[in-house]
Structures are given as structure tokens and as C-alpha cells.
Amino acid sequence: MIPKDELDVDAAARAGLQKLGYKQEMKRSRGLVHILFMTLAIMAVPYGLAAPIATSLVAGGPAVIIWGWILVSVLTQTLALSLAEICSKYPTSAGAYYWCYRLASPRTRVLASWINGWLTVVGVWTIALSVTFGTAQLVVAGAGIYHPEWIATAWQTYVIFLGVTAVASIFCLFLNKYLPAIDIICACWTGLGIIVIMICLSVKAAAGRRSPSFALGYFDPSSSGWTPGWSFFIGLLPPAYTYSAIGMIASMAEEVHNPSEILPKAITWSIPIGALSGVVFLLPILFTLPDVATLLQVASGQPIGVMFTLVMGSKAGGFGLWFIIFGIGMFCAISISCAASRATWAFARDKAIPFHHSFSKVNPHLQDVPVNAFLLSTAIQLLLGLIYLGSSAAFNAFVGVAVMCLGASYAMPVAISLLNGRQDMHDAPFSLGRFGTVINAIAVLWIMFAMVLFSMPAVIPVTKSTMNYASVVFVGFGVISAVWYIINGRLYYTGPPIQEESSVSSDSNRSASSFSTELSGLICRDSRHNAAHHLHTARVLDTNECHSIS
């Protein structure tokens, strides 16, 4: 039985959603613990730091890994606070593109929301792709522990990717009501996994122990080819990737009991929790790190399995720690696929996606899952995954594109709010107060810098295999969005609905109708008065004529 206070909160949330212009279609089943753990599941700190660890090693090693993580955590906190403030006022699954529409001027808001919406959906599709495909590559790394001579072909990796996607899809489509519980299990798995990894690495240290000066201060950028300063910034890519999807949780707003209060807490609390867990995860690795050159020579480019094996001194030990990271990757794939489907569904609901009538439907027989939107999101990921068969370098660009698109979609509403002098944020339930301007400005500047970082190659001189095509793909998606706007969007997309505007329009119509009625009444009364006057005058004239004849 659902508690009465929870029903009251859901009723208030439903009424609040109607004021934002939407009707309640999803079941509200998530509280603070569920949505916070889902945020952490999407973040997947150990997976996000371990999977691209080769980039950090190339960029400089231990100093970049630990201090880069702390620096990016501090900068990302400003973005989390900025998003939490806006989200507290406009808690809808439409997310950032809705926020742009509400904050921008009437002249530009339709186009701003269109651009932001496509940045959002492209971002969630490609970030989900990076997680599922990255987990598939992690499977290859795990197999390499026992079969180091085996080098997976492109099509073998793609088949593994299909398997990972299939597992995530089964959970999202058929076990939707259990996903809040699965997020809790994920949090327990991640927390216990970090503790197990910390203890095992610290106790075994089969590859030797490193001094504090090495673990916290060793910096060698020679492998990257960049200058030391820029090489350090290149090393920020893995932490930035880990935090890139913090705003995706806004897509779950219409499934949260009290979104105006719970979502801001989940977004802001996730950063310090994630930062702390990242430090606990990284320090044992840095103090027991094997020879960096050996790790960078791994054929698959994914050294995490070899690293754990060398530190543990056995294949079984290495595989056990690898399995913890793999489990976190699978949990992340489930949560991020779920959030991506909600973002897709919300944009289709506002008629911005082709065949929106189909993709905006919610299936009541599968526990209110937007099945068609989920299938669209998954199908696009599978098609994009085929690029890996032709060029791994071109495919790897999608990781950068994901971060760039999501970052731009987050920065847009924050920047618009800044340009408005933050006037719309004064009554936000989660207010940043007098510090809001500084926090917003730092967040926007950080996103702009991160987008430049993800456009750069990790190493120079650039070769065909190390070229970063992220900026090219980013511009390509932008061109596709612009062309679709010219063909279809400008004719059918009017932006998200706003009930207040509808009410004002209705009141205006009622006022105009009332005025017309009153005016008609006055005209009729005046006409009757004039007719009576003319009739009376005619009668007087007739009487006078009669008297004259007499």
C-alpha cells in the first residue's frame, strides 16, 4: 500500500508537471536513494577511470591521474550546482532543451530549444554507445588475461557489443519496475568492489610498491608528444568523460516522487560522493602501478586486465578484480540506456523527431516503458557501432562527440540564464543565491574548455589511427540537425508546451469574446433606441400634417 504522504507528493508533482505543460504518463517510483544511486551508476567512477586509463598514462602518468581527477571534480561541481538550480524550477524529462525554451527570449527560444534538444539526444545516444561498446572492449581485455595471444577482430568486438546491448535492453524493457532496486544493488556492488580492489592491491603489490613521490607526483609527458602543460590537460579526458553524463538524470524527472527537491540533491551530492570514491579507487592503483611502458604495449589498447594481473601476481587474481570493473560497466550500461530512452521519448513528445507520433508512446503493458523510443535509441547505437568495422579511429570519435554534445547542452541554459542576469532563478527552490553568477560562469567556461580538449588528438604527431575526428562528427550532426529543421522542424516544431501561455491565450479569447458580446449588446440597444426615436418623430410629423389639413 502506498503511504498517504507519498500520494500527496505525487499529486503535487503531477500538478507541477501540468503547469510546465505536460500530462503525467510515467509512474513515479523513485525516491532520493534510487535516483542518487542511478546517478552514480551512470557515472560509474571505477569503470570511467579504468577503461580509458591508457590516455592518462600517455598524458603523464600518476600526477595527471590523481590531481586531474580532483581538479575536474571541483570544476564539475560548479556545473552540477548550476544544473540543479535550473532543474529544481523546471523538473521535466524534457530537460535542458525545455530549460532553454523557458529561459531564452521569445524571438530565439524555439530555435535554441531545437538546437539544444538535438545536442541532447545525439549526446545521450553516443554516450550510451560508448558505455556499451566500452564494456564490450572490457570483455576483450578480460579474455586477454587468460589468452594474451588472442587479438579480437573488429567483427568479434562488435558481436560482443551486441551481447552487452541485448542484456541491457532486456533489463530496460522487461524489468523496468525492478530498475530502482537494481540501482541500489549497483551502488552496493561499486562500493564493495572499490574496497575489495583497495585491499587486494595494497596487500599483494606483486609488481612492487611505489613511493608517495611517484604515486602523487610522477609526471612524464614524453609519450604524448605534447608540451608538458597541454599534455596535463589531455590527461583530463578520462575524468571529464566519467562526469560527462551527470545531467542525464533530469530525463528521469517524471518518474521521481518529488523532483523539485530530490533531483537537485541527487545531482549535487553525486559529485562529492563520486570524487571520494574515485580517490579511494585510484590511490591503491598508483601506489602499486606496474611499469607504464609495459601497460602501453598491450595490443588491445585496454591495459586494465594486464595491470590487475601484474599487481595481483596471478591470472585468477587479475580476473577477479577485472570482473568487478566489468560488473560496474554492465550496471552503467543498463542505467544509461534507460535514461537515454527517456530523453528520446521526451523530445519525440514535443514533435522534434521524425515519426514522433510513434516514438512518443508509452507502453502500459511493459510497466510504462517508452518502448519505441528505447528501440530507436538502441537501433541508432547499433548502426553507429558498425563504423567500428571500417575504422576504429572514426568510431572512437563518438566518445568525444558524446562529451561535447552533452556538455554544450548543459552549458546552453546556464549561459542563457547568465545573460538574463539570472532573473529567472530568483524563485528557484534550489537557489545558488549571490554565488550563482560566479558558479555559473565557471561552469560555462569549463565546458567550453572541455569541448576544445575533446577535439584534440591524444598524441602527436597525428597518424591515420590516432587522428581525433570528434570535431568533424560534431559538426556533421549539427549540419544534419540544421537540414532537418529547414525541411521539417520550422514547419511543425513550436517548442515545448507551456500551460501558462495556453491559459493566457484562453483568458484573452474569453475577454475578447466577452467584449464582443458587450459591444454587440450596446449596438443592439443603440439601434433599438434609434429606431424608437425615428418612429416617434414620424408619428409627430403625421399628427402635424393632419392638423394642417383640417
Side-chain angles (χ1 to χ4, degrees):
M1 184 175 179
I2 302 176
K4 182 178 182 299
D5 57 343
E6 190 173 293
L7 289 174
D8 293 340
V9 168
D10 287 351
R14 189 182 303 109
L17 184 62
Q18 284 185 325
K19 289 182 180 179
L20 296 179
Y22 299 108
K23 67 177 182 178
Q24 185 72 47
E25 295 185 69
M26 301 284 195
K27 181 181 179 182
R28 296 187 181 271
S29 59
R30 298 175 186 264
L32 176 59
V33 172
H34 305 114
I35 208 68
L36 174 61
F37 286 169
M38 183 177 184
T39 309
L40 294 172
I42 291 174
M43 196 179 295
V45 172
Y47 168 82
L49 293 175
I53 195 171
T55 301
S56 296
L57 293 174
V58 168
V64 175
I65 293 174
I66 187 64
W67 299 115
W69 172 250
I70 294 174
L71 174 61
V72 173
S73 297
V74 173
L75 293 172
T76 306
Q77 183 67 62
T78 63
L79 178 62
L81 289 168
S82 301
L83 295 179
E85 182 181 43
I86 302 175
C87 184
S88 70
K89 185 171 181 179
Y90 306 118
T92 166
S93 294
Y97 78 86
Y98 182 93
W99 305 341
C100 285
Y101 186 81
R102 294 299 297 259
L103 297 173
S105 67
R107 185 172 58 88
T108 61
R109 62 186 184 182
V110 172
L111 183 59
S113 66
W114 173 273
I115 294 172
N116 188 282
W118 277 103
L119 286 172
T120 298
V121 293
V122 170
V124 298
W125 292 338
T126 49
I127 198 70
L129 170 64
S130 74
V131 171
T132 50
F133 210 97
T135 304
Q137 292 175 320
L138 203 60
V139 172
V140 174
I145 294 176
Y146 285 100
H147 303 281
E149 74 285 351
W150 178 62
I151 299 177
T153 61
W155 72 266
Q156 288 172 329
T157 304
Y158 184 80
V159 170
I160 298 172
F161 159 65
L162 293 179
V164 172
T165 304
V167 173
S169 299
I170 289 172
F171 277 91
C172 292
L173 289 174
F174 303 108
L175 300 173
N176 182 61
K177 68 178 181 180
Y178 300 110
L179 291 185
I182 291 173
D183 290 328
I184 295 178
I185 296 173
C186 171
C188 296
W189 177 279
T190 303
L192 292 174
I194 291 174
I195 294 173
V196 169
I197 291 174
M198 177 183 67
I199 294 174
C200 291
L201 295 182
S202 302
V203 170
K204 291 294 292 184
R209 299 183 187 276
R210 301 289 191 172
S211 65
S213 60
F214 177 89
L216 303 177
Y218 180 76
F219 179 65
D220 179 14
S222 59
S223 299
S224 70
W226 290 104
T227 59
W230 190 253
S231 185
F232 177 86
F233 290 131
I234 292 296
L236 302 181
L237 295 179
Y241 169 71
T242 303
Y243 285 129
S244 61
I246 60 169
M248 282 183 68
I249 206 66
S251 300
M252 306 299 296
E254 294 172 34
E255 297 173 64
V256 178
H257 289 305
N258 186 6
S260 291
E261 179 181 339
I262 288 178
L263 281 178
K265 289 181 179 179
I267 294 173
T268 53
W269 292 2
S270 66
I271 305 303
I273 295 173
L276 180 60
S277 63
V279 170
V280 175
F281 173 73
L282 289 174
L283 285 178
I285 293 176
L286 298 179
F287 275 95
T288 59
L289 190 69
D291 179 58
V292 174
T294 301
L295 297 179
L296 294 179
Q297 290 173 0
V298 175
S300 66
Q302 177 58 269
I304 190 68
V306 173
M307 182 184 74
F308 283 150
T309 301
L310 291 174
V311 176
M312 293 301 294
S314 68
K315 293 181 178 180
F319 185 83
L321 299 189
W322 165 88
F323 189 75
I324 293 174
I325 304 299
F326 169 72
I328 294 172
M330 284 303 307
F331 280 120
C332 179
I334 294 170
S335 296
I336 208 165
S337 297
C338 174
S341 69
R342 278 20 175 211
T344 306
W345 164 77
F347 204 37
R349 179 176 58 178
D350 286 326
K351 304 177 181 179
I353 293 178
F355 309 106
H356 56 83
H357 291 295
S358 176
F359 296 125
S360 61
K361 291 181 179 179
V362 175
N363 192 320
H365 304 295
L366 287 177
Q367 302 139 15
D368 294 335
V369 176
V371 175
N372 294 341
F374 181 89
L375 294 178
L376 172 64
S377 174
T378 304
I380 289 174
Q381 293 173 51
L382 296 180
L383 291 174
L384 292 177
L386 291 172
I387 297 176
Y388 187 80
L389 301 178
S391 171
S392 60
F395 175 79
N396 291 336
F398 286 107
V399 176
V401 169
V403 178
M404 292 167 69
C405 286
L406 289 176
S409 71
Y410 301 155
M412 279 184 65
V414 179
I416 293 172
S417 177
L418 268 177
L419 293 176
N420 292 341
R422 290 178 42 80
Q423 295 178 358
D424 297 285
M425 292 297 105
H426 292 159
D427 58 342
F430 182 89
S431 177
L432 300 180
R434 57 179 178 169
F435 301 106
T437 301
V438 175
I439 292 173
N440 291 167
I442 294 174
V444 172
L445 291 174
W446 160 238
I447 291 298
M448 292 171 63
F449 183 66
M451 291 179 66
V452 174
L453 282 181
F454 277 89
S455 300
M456 307 298 291
V459 297
I460 55 174
V462 177
T463 64
K464 184 178 180 181
S465 60
T466 61
M467 177 61 186
N468 188 344
Y469 297 96
S471 58
V472 177
V473 179
F474 180 79
V475 172
F477 277 122
V479 171
I480 294 173
S481 171
V483 171
W484 181 247
Y485 182 79
I486 294 173
I487 296 174
N488 182 274
R490 64 187 179 88
L491 302 176
Y492 299 102
Y493 182 71
T494 58
I498 299 179
Q499 191 193 53
E500 285 93 331
E501 289 185 348
S502 300
S503 299
V504 170
S505 178
S506 298
D507 291 342
S508 300
N509 291 337
R510 284 195 297 270
S511 299
S513 177
S514 176
F515 176 75
S516 299
T517 303
E518 291 179 6
L519 183 61
S520 299
L522 288 173
I523 292 173
C524 290
R525 285 196 298 271
D526 188 57
S527 299
R528 287 195 299 269
H529 174 75
N530 290 338
H533 175 71
H534 291 315
L535 181 61
H536 174 73
T537 302
R539 286 174 178 172
V540 171
L541 289 174
D542 289 343
T543 304
N544 291 337
E545 288 177 0
C546 290
H547 285 306
S548 299
I549 294 171
S550 299

